[in-house]
Amino acid sequence: MTSDFARPDPTDEVVDLCRDLLRIDTTNTGDNDTSAGERLAAEYVAEKLAEVGVESVIHESAPGRANLVARIPGTDPGRGALLVHGHLDVVPADADEWSVHPFSGELRDGYLWGRGAIDMKDFDAMVLAVVRHWQRTEVRPPRDIVLAYTADEEAGSDYGAHFLVERHRGLLDGCTEAIGEVGGFSYSVNDSQRLYLIETAEKGIDWLRLHAKGRPGHGSMIHDDNAVTALAEAVARVGRHRFPVVVTDTVRAFLEEVSDLLGIELDPEDPETAIAKLGPIANIIGATIRNTANPTRLAAGYKDNVIPGRATATIDCRSLPGQSELLERQLRELVGPDIVIEYLQRQPALETTFDGDLVDAMSAALRAEDPGARPVPYMLSGGTDAKAFSQLGIRCFGFAPLRLPADLNFSALFHGIDERVPVDGLQFGVRVLDRFLRTC
């Protein structure tokens, strides 16, 4: 057994673990031929677990698309297991746009910089640091902890969490609850009080492609059947449209908590006025009161002077719980009858209640490390691997705790340039997770 003197402090080790992970380029382009690094990252995690005696398995869904699972036995095998999941892939980054190289893992100004610093190699490293500390100090959690480090979350999870659920669900046997990304982060109300947003809901993923057909022809001619024109008009209508406001139970609970704490008058018929006063998190919350549809890609033609017969556009749609079919009808009305809609991804929204022993344990761990903490439920405007794991009846939450500087625009860092995580926030997360996982 390692002596007390030689044991690394997990709050120090997490910085090195996160830095190492950031230096592994795990860019997910959405194309197997050009995505990279997930196998290398999974092997790194496996090595760090093996160093402290934790066995893991790696399953590839396609060459290089690696998923790692390990189980930490608890003291009460009769209890349902807790799934702790994090993805290893990241979205692409253009080094020319960044202040530092996106895969440098540079430590600067109290932050650790790199693509994936908050989405979500910070949490991957926190969990790894806690487990390694437990193994060195012979700590056993009260219930089995199943670790899942997945591929492909950034492109819909087909090669990651969905692959595990469909092909290796035995590795997840007994899991009744789960925690994952984008929850447990702080929003400063004032110097002494912080909201900690725990994700209890997330919008559905409705990625689709619009197809327009027309008559090919010469670019110099008058042409009334132009596929590009038809598509552009449809895309413009979708991109400019604002869907009706719908306040779900989760969003209502969040707004009531925030309004009470900030002294903001909440008009149920006009939640946007209250949301506008929330500063940096207004973008996330504002996207959870309606369905959204944002054009992201266009493709048409093969020569400058040839009118093409086909044109396509990709639309990133996110639906509120129970509204995917309504959103499809709304989109059909917007694009018109001559545009074909093809779904690329269609995964349901999730919503659970903000109660129970697990929520109590999250809240207690946050308050123990930050007496000014006020945990609140919220809905994530995006999606996570929880969509796959929930198919097994697992109750999913977003809880990757971070205490953030009051002036940091956290939401802008997701998929943005100069992504970074505060080192003290990372260390705070380790302490909270350690407390939470020992008591949950």
PDB file of all heavy atoms in Angstrom, residues 11 14-15 18-19 22 100 105-114 117-118 122 402-405 407-408 413 418-428:
ATOM      1  N   THR A  11      -6.930  16.673  -5.831  1.00  0.00           N
ATOM      2  CA  THR A  11      -7.170  18.019  -6.359  1.00  0.00           C
ATOM      3  C   THR A  11      -5.949  18.559  -7.100  1.00  0.00           C
ATOM      4  O   THR A  11      -6.076  19.499  -7.902  1.00  0.00           O
ATOM      5  CB  THR A  11      -7.571  19.002  -5.243  1.00  0.00           C
ATOM      6  OG1 THR A  11      -6.534  19.061  -4.268  1.00  0.00           O
ATOM      7  CG2 THR A  11      -8.870  18.573  -4.591  1.00  0.00           C
ATOM      8  N   VAL A  14      -5.854  16.028 -10.548  1.00  0.00           N
ATOM      9  CA  VAL A  14      -6.870  16.266 -11.579  1.00  0.00           C
ATOM     10  C   VAL A  14      -6.362  17.219 -12.654  1.00  0.00           C
ATOM     11  O   VAL A  14      -6.734  17.101 -13.833  1.00  0.00           O
ATOM     12  CB  VAL A  14      -8.177  16.803 -10.951  1.00  0.00           C
ATOM     13  CG1 VAL A  14      -8.014  18.234 -10.433  1.00  0.00           C
ATOM     14  CG2 VAL A  14      -9.319  16.738 -11.957  1.00  0.00           C
ATOM     15  N   VAL A  15      -5.500  18.148 -12.296  1.00  0.00           N
ATOM     16  CA  VAL A  15      -4.971  19.094 -13.284  1.00  0.00           C
ATOM     17  C   VAL A  15      -4.115  18.359 -14.307  1.00  0.00           C
ATOM     18  O   VAL A  15      -4.240  18.574 -15.521  1.00  0.00           O
ATOM     19  CB  VAL A  15      -4.165  20.213 -12.594  1.00  0.00           C
ATOM     20  CG1 VAL A  15      -3.599  21.179 -13.628  1.00  0.00           C
ATOM     21  CG2 VAL A  15      -5.033  20.959 -11.592  1.00  0.00           C
ATOM     22  N   CYS A  18      -6.397  16.080 -16.505  1.00  0.00           N
ATOM     23  CA  CYS A  18      -7.153  16.864 -17.486  1.00  0.00           C
ATOM     24  C   CYS A  18      -6.227  17.371 -18.591  1.00  0.00           C
ATOM     25  O   CYS A  18      -6.585  17.330 -19.780  1.00  0.00           O
ATOM     26  CB  CYS A  18      -7.860  18.024 -16.790  1.00  0.00           C
ATOM     27  SG  CYS A  18      -9.044  18.909 -17.846  1.00  0.00           S
ATOM     28  N   ARG A  19      -5.064  17.832 -18.201  1.00  0.00           N
ATOM     29  CA  ARG A  19      -4.103  18.325 -19.200  1.00  0.00           C
ATOM     30  C   ARG A  19      -3.729  17.211 -20.177  1.00  0.00           C
ATOM     31  O   ARG A  19      -3.684  17.418 -21.395  1.00  0.00           O
ATOM     32  CB  ARG A  19      -2.857  18.853 -18.509  1.00  0.00           C
ATOM     33  CG  ARG A  19      -1.796  19.383 -19.482  1.00  0.00           C
ATOM     34  CD  ARG A  19      -0.517  19.701 -18.734  1.00  0.00           C
ATOM     35  NE  ARG A  19      -0.684  20.824 -17.849  1.00  0.00           N
ATOM     36  CZ  ARG A  19       0.175  21.127 -16.858  1.00  0.00           C
ATOM     37  NH1 ARG A  19       1.216  20.343 -16.635  1.00  0.00           N
ATOM     38  NH2 ARG A  19      -0.023  22.188 -16.110  1.00  0.00           N
ATOM     39  N   LEU A  22      -6.576  16.639 -22.574  1.00  0.00           N
ATOM     40  CA  LEU A  22      -6.714  17.736 -23.534  1.00  0.00           C
ATOM     41  C   LEU A  22      -5.679  17.639 -24.642  1.00  0.00           C
ATOM     42  O   LEU A  22      -5.917  18.106 -25.769  1.00  0.00           O
ATOM     43  CB  LEU A  22      -6.583  19.084 -22.821  1.00  0.00           C
ATOM     44  CG  LEU A  22      -7.730  19.464 -21.881  1.00  0.00           C
ATOM     45  CD1 LEU A  22      -7.390  20.741 -21.117  1.00  0.00           C
ATOM     46  CD2 LEU A  22      -9.023  19.648 -22.657  1.00  0.00           C
ATOM     47  N   VAL A 100      -4.416  30.042 -27.780  1.00  0.00           N
ATOM     48  CA  VAL A 100      -3.437  28.972 -27.568  1.00  0.00           C
ATOM     49  C   VAL A 100      -3.816  27.839 -28.515  1.00  0.00           C
ATOM     50  O   VAL A 100      -4.919  27.820 -29.068  1.00  0.00           O
ATOM     51  CB  VAL A 100      -3.451  28.457 -26.107  1.00  0.00           C
ATOM     52  CG1 VAL A 100      -3.205  29.592 -25.129  1.00  0.00           C
ATOM     53  CG2 VAL A 100      -4.768  27.761 -25.778  1.00  0.00           C
ATOM     54  N   GLY A 105      -3.329  21.904 -24.000  1.00  0.00           N
ATOM     55  CA  GLY A 105      -3.527  21.733 -22.566  1.00  0.00           C
ATOM     56  C   GLY A 105      -2.748  22.767 -21.774  1.00  0.00           C
ATOM     57  O   GLY A 105      -2.241  22.485 -20.684  1.00  0.00           O
ATOM     58  N   GLU A 106      -2.690  23.978 -22.287  1.00  0.00           N
ATOM     59  CA  GLU A 106      -1.858  25.011 -21.656  1.00  0.00           C
ATOM     60  C   GLU A 106      -2.484  25.530 -20.368  1.00  0.00           C
ATOM     61  O   GLU A 106      -3.698  25.727 -20.276  1.00  0.00           O
ATOM     62  CB  GLU A 106      -1.652  26.172 -22.635  1.00  0.00           C
ATOM     63  CG  GLU A 106      -0.720  27.247 -22.095  1.00  0.00           C
ATOM     64  CD  GLU A 106      -0.305  28.263 -23.139  1.00  0.00           C
ATOM     65  OE1 GLU A 106      -0.260  27.902 -24.337  1.00  0.00           O
ATOM     66  OE2 GLU A 106      -0.025  29.420 -22.762  1.00  0.00           O
ATOM     67  N   LEU A 107      -1.629  25.728 -19.376  1.00  0.00           N
ATOM     68  CA  LEU A 107      -2.045  26.308 -18.102  1.00  0.00           C
ATOM     69  C   LEU A 107      -1.662  27.779 -18.126  1.00  0.00           C
ATOM     70  O   LEU A 107      -0.495  28.140 -18.227  1.00  0.00           O
ATOM     71  CB  LEU A 107      -1.340  25.582 -16.956  1.00  0.00           C
ATOM     72  CG  LEU A 107      -1.808  25.867 -15.531  1.00  0.00           C
ATOM     73  CD1 LEU A 107      -3.268  25.493 -15.351  1.00  0.00           C
ATOM     74  CD2 LEU A 107      -0.947  25.084 -14.544  1.00  0.00           C
ATOM     75  N   ARG A 108      -2.693  28.661 -18.081  1.00  0.00           N
ATOM     76  CA  ARG A 108      -2.432  30.095 -18.193  1.00  0.00           C
ATOM     77  C   ARG A 108      -3.499  30.871 -17.424  1.00  0.00           C
ATOM     78  O   ARG A 108      -4.691  30.585 -17.541  1.00  0.00           O
ATOM     79  CB  ARG A 108      -2.444  30.522 -19.664  1.00  0.00           C
ATOM     80  CG  ARG A 108      -2.206  32.016 -19.865  1.00  0.00           C
ATOM     81  CD  ARG A 108      -2.628  32.486 -21.246  1.00  0.00           C
ATOM     82  NE  ARG A 108      -1.763  31.993 -22.314  1.00  0.00           N
ATOM     83  CZ  ARG A 108      -1.862  32.390 -23.590  1.00  0.00           C
ATOM     84  NH1 ARG A 108      -2.802  33.259 -23.932  1.00  0.00           N
ATOM     85  NH2 ARG A 108      -1.056  31.908 -24.501  1.00  0.00           N
ATOM     86  N   ASP A 109      -3.048  31.839 -16.633  1.00  0.00           N
ATOM     87  CA  ASP A 109      -3.963  32.762 -15.934  1.00  0.00           C
ATOM     88  C   ASP A 109      -4.983  32.040 -15.061  1.00  0.00           C
ATOM     89  O   ASP A 109      -6.133  32.474 -14.923  1.00  0.00           O
ATOM     90  CB  ASP A 109      -4.696  33.653 -16.942  1.00  0.00           C
ATOM     91  CG  ASP A 109      -3.751  34.489 -17.789  1.00  0.00           C
ATOM     92  OD1 ASP A 109      -2.679  34.868 -17.277  1.00  0.00           O
ATOM     93  OD2 ASP A 109      -4.073  34.745 -18.967  1.00  0.00           O
ATOM     94  N   GLY A 110      -4.562  30.927 -14.464  1.00  0.00           N
ATOM     95  CA  GLY A 110      -5.452  30.193 -13.574  1.00  0.00           C
ATOM     96  C   GLY A 110      -6.452  29.304 -14.279  1.00  0.00           C
ATOM     97  O   GLY A 110      -7.356  28.760 -13.637  1.00  0.00           O
ATOM     98  N   TYR A 111      -6.301  29.142 -15.602  1.00  0.00           N
ATOM     99  CA  TYR A 111      -7.191  28.295 -16.387  1.00  0.00           C
ATOM    100  C   TYR A 111      -6.386  27.220 -17.104  1.00  0.00           C
ATOM    101  O   TYR A 111      -5.208  27.417 -17.445  1.00  0.00           O
ATOM    102  CB  TYR A 111      -7.940  29.106 -17.445  1.00  0.00           C
ATOM    103  CG  TYR A 111      -9.032  30.007 -16.911  1.00  0.00           C
ATOM    104  CD1 TYR A 111      -8.734  31.265 -16.391  1.00  0.00           C
ATOM    105  CD2 TYR A 111     -10.362  29.609 -16.953  1.00  0.00           C
ATOM    106  CE1 TYR A 111      -9.728  32.102 -15.917  1.00  0.00           C
ATOM    107  CE2 TYR A 111     -11.375  30.449 -16.481  1.00  0.00           C
ATOM    108  CZ  TYR A 111     -11.058  31.685 -15.966  1.00  0.00           C
ATOM    109  OH  TYR A 111     -12.044  32.501 -15.496  1.00  0.00           O
ATOM    110  N   LEU A 112      -7.045  26.095 -17.365  1.00  0.00           N
ATOM    111  CA  LEU A 112      -6.503  25.057 -18.225  1.00  0.00           C
ATOM    112  C   LEU A 112      -7.239  25.174 -19.556  1.00  0.00           C
ATOM    113  O   LEU A 112      -8.473  25.081 -19.605  1.00  0.00           O
ATOM    114  CB  LEU A 112      -6.743  23.688 -17.586  1.00  0.00           C
ATOM    115  CG  LEU A 112      -5.939  22.492 -18.098  1.00  0.00           C
ATOM    116  CD1 LEU A 112      -4.444  22.778 -18.076  1.00  0.00           C
ATOM    117  CD2 LEU A 112      -6.252  21.267 -17.253  1.00  0.00           C
ATOM    118  N   TRP A 113      -6.470  25.422 -20.628  1.00  0.00           N
ATOM    119  CA  TRP A 113      -7.051  25.746 -21.926  1.00  0.00           C
ATOM    120  C   TRP A 113      -7.009  24.539 -22.855  1.00  0.00           C
ATOM    121  O   TRP A 113      -6.035  23.790 -22.871  1.00  0.00           O
ATOM    122  CB  TRP A 113      -6.272  26.888 -22.600  1.00  0.00           C
ATOM    123  CG  TRP A 113      -6.261  28.180 -21.849  1.00  0.00           C
ATOM    124  CD1 TRP A 113      -5.779  28.397 -20.592  1.00  0.00           C
ATOM    125  CD2 TRP A 113      -6.737  29.446 -22.309  1.00  0.00           C
ATOM    126  NE1 TRP A 113      -5.929  29.714 -20.235  1.00  0.00           N
ATOM    127  CE2 TRP A 113      -6.509  30.387 -21.272  1.00  0.00           C
ATOM    128  CE3 TRP A 113      -7.326  29.881 -23.496  1.00  0.00           C
ATOM    129  CZ2 TRP A 113      -6.860  31.723 -21.390  1.00  0.00           C
ATOM    130  CZ3 TRP A 113      -7.665  31.217 -23.620  1.00  0.00           C
ATOM    131  CH2 TRP A 113      -7.430  32.129 -22.576  1.00  0.00           C
ATOM    132  N   GLY A 114      -8.027  24.400 -23.672  1.00  0.00           N
ATOM    133  CA  GLY A 114      -8.008  23.372 -24.707  1.00  0.00           C
ATOM    134  C   GLY A 114      -9.399  22.927 -25.098  1.00  0.00           C
ATOM    135  O   GLY A 114     -10.357  23.066 -24.329  1.00  0.00           O
ATOM    136  N   ALA A 117     -12.095  21.315 -22.622  1.00  0.00           N
ATOM    137  CA  ALA A 117     -11.819  21.693 -21.235  1.00  0.00           C
ATOM    138  C   ALA A 117     -13.088  21.695 -20.387  1.00  0.00           C
ATOM    139  O   ALA A 117     -13.050  21.345 -19.198  1.00  0.00           O
ATOM    140  CB  ALA A 117     -11.149  23.067 -21.183  1.00  0.00           C
ATOM    141  N   ILE A 118     -14.227  22.094 -20.985  1.00  0.00           N
ATOM    142  CA  ILE A 118     -15.492  22.015 -20.255  1.00  0.00           C
ATOM    143  C   ILE A 118     -16.473  21.050 -20.913  1.00  0.00           C
ATOM    144  O   ILE A 118     -17.515  20.746 -20.326  1.00  0.00           O
ATOM    145  CB  ILE A 118     -16.151  23.406 -20.106  1.00  0.00           C
ATOM    146  CG1 ILE A 118     -16.436  24.014 -21.473  1.00  0.00           C
ATOM    147  CG2 ILE A 118     -15.291  24.331 -19.267  1.00  0.00           C
ATOM    148  CD1 ILE A 118     -17.371  25.205 -21.428  1.00  0.00           C
ATOM    149  N   ASP A 122     -12.924  17.882 -18.499  1.00  0.00           N
ATOM    150  CA  ASP A 122     -12.799  18.282 -17.099  1.00  0.00           C
ATOM    151  C   ASP A 122     -13.474  17.261 -16.194  1.00  0.00           C
ATOM    152  O   ASP A 122     -12.891  16.783 -15.211  1.00  0.00           O
ATOM    153  CB  ASP A 122     -13.386  19.679 -16.879  1.00  0.00           C
ATOM    154  CG  ASP A 122     -14.851  19.803 -17.297  1.00  0.00           C
ATOM    155  OD1 ASP A 122     -15.341  18.971 -18.099  1.00  0.00           O
ATOM    156  OD2 ASP A 122     -15.511  20.749 -16.825  1.00  0.00           O
ATOM    157  N   LEU A 402     -18.852  22.497 -10.945  1.00  0.00           N
ATOM    158  CA  LEU A 402     -17.814  23.501 -11.143  1.00  0.00           C
ATOM    159  C   LEU A 402     -18.236  24.786 -10.443  1.00  0.00           C
ATOM    160  O   LEU A 402     -19.369  25.241 -10.618  1.00  0.00           O
ATOM    161  CB  LEU A 402     -17.620  23.828 -12.633  1.00  0.00           C
ATOM    162  CG  LEU A 402     -16.884  22.846 -13.531  1.00  0.00           C
ATOM    163  CD1 LEU A 402     -16.973  23.326 -14.971  1.00  0.00           C
ATOM    164  CD2 LEU A 402     -15.424  22.704 -13.107  1.00  0.00           C
ATOM    165  N   ARG A 403     -17.335  25.348  -9.677  1.00  0.00           N
ATOM    166  CA  ARG A 403     -17.569  26.708  -9.172  1.00  0.00           C
ATOM    167  C   ARG A 403     -16.832  27.659 -10.098  1.00  0.00           C
ATOM    168  O   ARG A 403     -15.616  27.580 -10.264  1.00  0.00           O
ATOM    169  CB  ARG A 403     -17.076  26.864  -7.731  1.00  0.00           C
ATOM    170  CG  ARG A 403     -17.303  28.264  -7.193  1.00  0.00           C
ATOM    171  CD  ARG A 403     -17.093  28.367  -5.704  1.00  0.00           C
ATOM    172  NE  ARG A 403     -17.149  29.766  -5.256  1.00  0.00           N
ATOM    173  CZ  ARG A 403     -17.125  30.146  -3.991  1.00  0.00           C
ATOM    174  NH1 ARG A 403     -17.045  29.242  -3.018  1.00  0.00           N
ATOM    175  NH2 ARG A 403     -17.188  31.429  -3.674  1.00  0.00           N
ATOM    176  N   LEU A 404     -17.585  28.554 -10.715  1.00  0.00           N
ATOM    177  CA  LEU A 404     -17.055  29.397 -11.779  1.00  0.00           C
ATOM    178  C   LEU A 404     -16.898  30.839 -11.340  1.00  0.00           C
ATOM    179  O   LEU A 404     -17.668  31.333 -10.506  1.00  0.00           O
ATOM    180  CB  LEU A 404     -18.014  29.355 -12.979  1.00  0.00           C
ATOM    181  CG  LEU A 404     -18.270  27.964 -13.570  1.00  0.00           C
ATOM    182  CD1 LEU A 404     -19.431  28.025 -14.552  1.00  0.00           C
ATOM    183  CD2 LEU A 404     -17.013  27.434 -14.245  1.00  0.00           C
ATOM    184  N   PRO A 405     -15.930  31.558 -11.899  1.00  0.00           N
ATOM    185  CA  PRO A 405     -15.829  33.000 -11.646  1.00  0.00           C
ATOM    186  C   PRO A 405     -17.105  33.704 -12.087  1.00  0.00           C
ATOM    187  O   PRO A 405     -17.717  33.334 -13.097  1.00  0.00           O
ATOM    188  CB  PRO A 405     -14.633  33.425 -12.509  1.00  0.00           C
ATOM    189  CG  PRO A 405     -13.841  32.176 -12.735  1.00  0.00           C
ATOM    190  CD  PRO A 405     -14.846  31.057 -12.777  1.00  0.00           C
ATOM    191  N   ASP A 407     -17.604  36.425 -13.535  1.00  0.00           N
ATOM    192  CA  ASP A 407     -17.561  37.136 -14.813  1.00  0.00           C
ATOM    193  C   ASP A 407     -17.284  36.221 -16.007  1.00  0.00           C
ATOM    194  O   ASP A 407     -17.105  36.696 -17.125  1.00  0.00           O
ATOM    195  CB  ASP A 407     -16.510  38.240 -14.762  1.00  0.00           C
ATOM    196  CG  ASP A 407     -15.100  37.711 -14.477  1.00  0.00           C
ATOM    197  OD1 ASP A 407     -14.965  36.513 -14.132  1.00  0.00           O
ATOM    198  OD2 ASP A 407     -14.139  38.493 -14.575  1.00  0.00           O
ATOM    199  N   LEU A 408     -17.243  34.911 -15.790  1.00  0.00           N
ATOM    200  CA  LEU A 408     -16.956  33.992 -16.890  1.00  0.00           C
ATOM    201  C   LEU A 408     -18.243  33.664 -17.645  1.00  0.00           C
ATOM    202  O   LEU A 408     -19.232  33.226 -17.055  1.00  0.00           O
ATOM    203  CB  LEU A 408     -16.333  32.692 -16.355  1.00  0.00           C
ATOM    204  CG  LEU A 408     -15.987  31.640 -17.420  1.00  0.00           C
ATOM    205  CD1 LEU A 408     -14.867  32.142 -18.319  1.00  0.00           C
ATOM    206  CD2 LEU A 408     -15.610  30.307 -16.773  1.00  0.00           C
ATOM    207  N   LEU A 413     -18.400  29.187 -23.964  1.00  0.00           N
ATOM    208  CA  LEU A 413     -17.214  28.349 -24.143  1.00  0.00           C
ATOM    209  C   LEU A 413     -17.548  27.005 -24.786  1.00  0.00           C
ATOM    210  O   LEU A 413     -16.673  26.358 -25.364  1.00  0.00           O
ATOM    211  CB  LEU A 413     -16.524  28.112 -22.800  1.00  0.00           C
ATOM    212  CG  LEU A 413     -15.973  29.360 -22.108  1.00  0.00           C
ATOM    213  CD1 LEU A 413     -15.364  28.993 -20.764  1.00  0.00           C
ATOM    214  CD2 LEU A 413     -14.936  30.060 -22.982  1.00  0.00           C
ATOM    215  N   ASP A 418     -11.178  29.366 -27.569  1.00  0.00           N
ATOM    216  CA  ASP A 418     -10.531  29.593 -26.265  1.00  0.00           C
ATOM    217  C   ASP A 418     -11.292  28.909 -25.118  1.00  0.00           C
ATOM    218  O   ASP A 418     -11.437  29.456 -24.018  1.00  0.00           O
ATOM    219  CB  ASP A 418     -10.369  31.085 -25.983  1.00  0.00           C
ATOM    220  CG  ASP A 418      -9.294  31.728 -26.845  1.00  0.00           C
ATOM    221  OD1 ASP A 418      -8.475  30.975 -27.419  1.00  0.00           O
ATOM    222  OD2 ASP A 418      -9.265  32.959 -26.960  1.00  0.00           O
ATOM    223  N   GLU A 419     -11.769  27.701 -25.377  1.00  0.00           N
ATOM    224  CA  GLU A 419     -12.422  26.915 -24.326  1.00  0.00           C
ATOM    225  C   GLU A 419     -11.427  26.680 -23.194  1.00  0.00           C
ATOM    226  O   GLU A 419     -10.263  26.350 -23.427  1.00  0.00           O
ATOM    227  CB  GLU A 419     -12.888  25.585 -24.920  1.00  0.00           C
ATOM    228  CG  GLU A 419     -13.699  24.721 -23.971  1.00  0.00           C
ATOM    229  CD  GLU A 419     -14.130  23.406 -24.617  1.00  0.00           C
ATOM    230  OE1 GLU A 419     -14.017  23.279 -25.863  1.00  0.00           O
ATOM    231  OE2 GLU A 419     -14.568  22.504 -23.878  1.00  0.00           O
ATOM    232  N   ARG A 420     -11.879  26.851 -21.959  1.00  0.00           N
ATOM    233  CA  ARG A 420     -10.978  26.725 -20.818  1.00  0.00           C
ATOM    234  C   ARG A 420     -11.785  26.480 -19.553  1.00  0.00           C
ATOM    235  O   ARG A 420     -12.969  26.813 -19.481  1.00  0.00           O
ATOM    236  CB  ARG A 420     -10.127  27.998 -20.649  1.00  0.00           C
ATOM    237  CG  ARG A 420     -10.935  29.270 -20.442  1.00  0.00           C
ATOM    238  CD  ARG A 420     -10.089  30.510 -20.709  1.00  0.00           C
ATOM    239  NE  ARG A 420     -10.816  31.751 -20.458  1.00  0.00           N
ATOM    240  CZ  ARG A 420     -11.636  32.332 -21.343  1.00  0.00           C
ATOM    241  NH1 ARG A 420     -11.842  31.778 -22.521  1.00  0.00           N
ATOM    242  NH2 ARG A 420     -12.249  33.469 -21.034  1.00  0.00           N
ATOM    243  N   VAL A 421     -11.112  25.900 -18.564  1.00  0.00           N
ATOM    244  CA  VAL A 421     -11.761  25.622 -17.287  1.00  0.00           C
ATOM    245  C   VAL A 421     -10.888  26.199 -16.178  1.00  0.00           C
ATOM    246  O   VAL A 421      -9.657  26.066 -16.212  1.00  0.00           O
ATOM    247  CB  VAL A 421     -11.964  24.100 -17.096  1.00  0.00           C
ATOM    248  CG1 VAL A 421     -10.641  23.337 -17.049  1.00  0.00           C
ATOM    249  CG2 VAL A 421     -12.786  23.807 -15.858  1.00  0.00           C
ATOM    250  N   PRO A 422     -11.469  26.887 -15.187  1.00  0.00           N
ATOM    251  CA  PRO A 422     -10.662  27.425 -14.090  1.00  0.00           C
ATOM    252  C   PRO A 422     -10.103  26.284 -13.240  1.00  0.00           C
ATOM    253  O   PRO A 422     -10.830  25.347 -12.890  1.00  0.00           O
ATOM    254  CB  PRO A 422     -11.644  28.283 -13.295  1.00  0.00           C
ATOM    255  CG  PRO A 422     -12.999  27.781 -13.658  1.00  0.00           C
ATOM    256  CD  PRO A 422     -12.896  27.262 -15.052  1.00  0.00           C
ATOM    257  N   VAL A 423      -8.830  26.372 -12.922  1.00  0.00           N
ATOM    258  CA  VAL A 423      -8.194  25.305 -12.151  1.00  0.00           C
ATOM    259  C   VAL A 423      -8.853  25.144 -10.788  1.00  0.00           C
ATOM    260  O   VAL A 423      -9.123  24.024 -10.340  1.00  0.00           O
ATOM    261  CB  VAL A 423      -6.684  25.582 -12.002  1.00  0.00           C
ATOM    262  CG1 VAL A 423      -6.050  24.608 -11.001  1.00  0.00           C
ATOM    263  CG2 VAL A 423      -5.991  25.469 -13.355  1.00  0.00           C
ATOM    264  N   ASP A 424      -9.153  26.252 -10.119  1.00  0.00           N
ATOM    265  CA  ASP A 424      -9.791  26.128  -8.807  1.00  0.00           C
ATOM    266  C   ASP A 424     -11.201  25.565  -8.929  1.00  0.00           C
ATOM    267  O   ASP A 424     -11.687  24.870  -8.033  1.00  0.00           O
ATOM    268  CB  ASP A 424      -9.779  27.449  -8.047  1.00  0.00           C
ATOM    269  CG  ASP A 424     -10.414  28.605  -8.792  1.00  0.00           C
ATOM    270  OD1 ASP A 424     -10.876  28.401  -9.927  1.00  0.00           O
ATOM    271  OD2 ASP A 424     -10.453  29.717  -8.225  1.00  0.00           O
ATOM    272  N   GLY A 425     -11.867  25.821 -10.061  1.00  0.00           N
ATOM    273  CA  GLY A 425     -13.177  25.218 -10.295  1.00  0.00           C
ATOM    274  C   GLY A 425     -13.074  23.719 -10.499  1.00  0.00           C
ATOM    275  O   GLY A 425     -13.922  22.942 -10.027  1.00  0.00           O
ATOM    276  N   LEU A 426     -12.042  23.301 -11.210  1.00  0.00           N
ATOM    277  CA  LEU A 426     -11.768  21.883 -11.427  1.00  0.00           C
ATOM    278  C   LEU A 426     -11.517  21.178 -10.093  1.00  0.00           C
ATOM    279  O   LEU A 426     -12.053  20.086  -9.829  1.00  0.00           O
ATOM    280  CB  LEU A 426     -10.554  21.764 -12.345  1.00  0.00           C
ATOM    281  CG  LEU A 426     -10.232  20.465 -13.055  1.00  0.00           C
ATOM    282  CD1 LEU A 426     -11.353  20.089 -14.018  1.00  0.00           C
ATOM    283  CD2 LEU A 426      -8.916  20.609 -13.814  1.00  0.00           C
ATOM    284  N   GLN A 427     -10.742  21.805  -9.245  1.00  0.00           N
ATOM    285  CA  GLN A 427     -10.423  21.225  -7.938  1.00  0.00           C
ATOM    286  C   GLN A 427     -11.649  21.204  -7.021  1.00  0.00           C
ATOM    287  O   GLN A 427     -11.857  20.252  -6.264  1.00  0.00           O
ATOM    288  CB  GLN A 427      -9.264  21.994  -7.309  1.00  0.00           C
ATOM    289  CG  GLN A 427      -7.966  21.831  -8.102  1.00  0.00           C
ATOM    290  CD  GLN A 427      -6.855  22.742  -7.638  1.00  0.00           C
ATOM    291  OE1 GLN A 427      -7.108  23.861  -7.188  1.00  0.00           O
ATOM    292  NE2 GLN A 427      -5.622  22.274  -7.738  1.00  0.00           N
ATOM    293  N   PHE A 428     -12.476  22.235  -7.117  1.00  0.00           N
ATOM    294  CA  PHE A 428     -13.748  22.260  -6.401  1.00  0.00           C
ATOM    295  C   PHE A 428     -14.607  21.070  -6.829  1.00  0.00           C
ATOM    296  O   PHE A 428     -15.222  20.382  -5.992  1.00  0.00           O
ATOM    297  CB  PHE A 428     -14.472  23.573  -6.713  1.00  0.00           C
ATOM    298  CG  PHE A 428     -15.895  23.644  -6.226  1.00  0.00           C
ATOM    299  CD1 PHE A 428     -16.186  24.040  -4.931  1.00  0.00           C
ATOM    300  CD2 PHE A 428     -16.948  23.340  -7.083  1.00  0.00           C
ATOM    301  CE1 PHE A 428     -17.507  24.122  -4.489  1.00  0.00           C
ATOM    302  CE2 PHE A 428     -18.269  23.422  -6.651  1.00  0.00           C
ATOM    303  CZ  PHE A 428     -18.546  23.808  -5.356  1.00  0.00           C
TER     304      PHE A 428
END
